Amino acid sequence: YLGKVMQVRIIPKIFNNRVEFRILRRDKVTKSVIESHNAKIENGWTLRHSLQAGPELIPEINLEKEGFIIKNRQGTIIRDGIASQGFAARSAIGITDDEDILLVAVSAKKGITIKQLAVLMKELKAKSAMALDGGSSTTLVWYEEKILKTFVGSGKSPASVNSALLVFPNK
């Protein structure tokens, strides 16, 4: 019974309150934003792509609003779907004032909490940021001097990919 009650309380939060990384376009201009799924798109802009994840890290962490944690009436956490208080491999995406996109991954060897991830993104000058998947699936792949490099948060070989975010630099 408790599981069904939690599902009823959490599903609207997942579908409506979680943040998403959006790529918008107007004429020949493209911009990236991190906003709540329910946030209206500015007039004249068209949504080209979006990736819902979370929780939001900057400007503020909204674990309960986004349905990542559930508290009882006394304010005690009774469900923490992402082990937000614990140390784990984590990944995040952020946007700076200069509109640069930051992709960050932290290994399980060091581990980081969600609050620490938000602090790290602020230190990297993100004006907005959200967490991506964490734990053993934390993986970052990039090209450096025409060589494919891979960072796996668990330190083990990469897991099979269920979903991916591909970012191509503007040239």
Side-chain angles (χ1 to χ4, degrees), residues 5 14 32 40 43 47 49 59 86 88-89 101 113 121 140 145 155:
V5 169
I14 291 171
S32 302
K40 300 248 187 252
N43 282 339
L47 178 66
H49 307 283
I101 296 171
T113 67
M121 295 305 286
L140 185 60
E145 297 179 14

Side-chain angles (χ1 to χ4, degrees), residues 106-118:
V106 177
S107 76
K109 187 175 182 180
K110 269 246 190 234
I112 196 168
T113 67
I114 288 294
K115 285 182 182 176
Q116 290 171 329
L117 184 59

Side-chain angles (χ1 to χ4, degrees), residues 15 18-25 30-39 41 46-54 93 130 132 163-166:
F15 287 127
R18 291 214 173 148
V19 291
E20 57 191 23
F21 173 77
R22 294 176 173 178
I23 298 175
L24 305 172
R25 188 153 178 95
T30 300
K31 75 174 180 176
S32 302
V33 296
I34 295 174
E35 296 181 318
S36 169
H37 175 71
N38 283 336
I41 296 170
T46 304
L47 178 66
R48 297 296 302 234
H49 307 283
S50 72
L51 172 69
Q52 190 180 40
I93 188 167
M130 70 182 205
L132 298 171
S163 60
L165 169 66
L166 302 174

Side-chain angles (χ1 to χ4, degrees), residues 69-123:
I69 63 170
I70 295 176
K71 295 180 179 177
N72 63 17
R73 290 186 179 142
Q74 293 76 33
T76 304
I77 296 173
I78 58 173
R79 180 187 179 280
D80 186 348
I82 57 171
S84 64
Q85 316 302 303
F87 293 90
R90 307 229 184 239
S91 59
I93 188 167
I95 303 169
T96 67
D97 283 332
D98 294 333
E99 304 300 324
D100 290 328
I101 296 171
L102 304 171
L103 293 171
V104 173
V106 177
S107 76
K109 187 175 182 180
K110 269 246 190 234
I112 196 168
T113 67
I114 288 294
K115 285 182 182 176
Q116 290 171 329
L117 184 59
V119 169
L120 174 61
M121 295 305 286
K122 286 178 185 174
E123 288 172 355

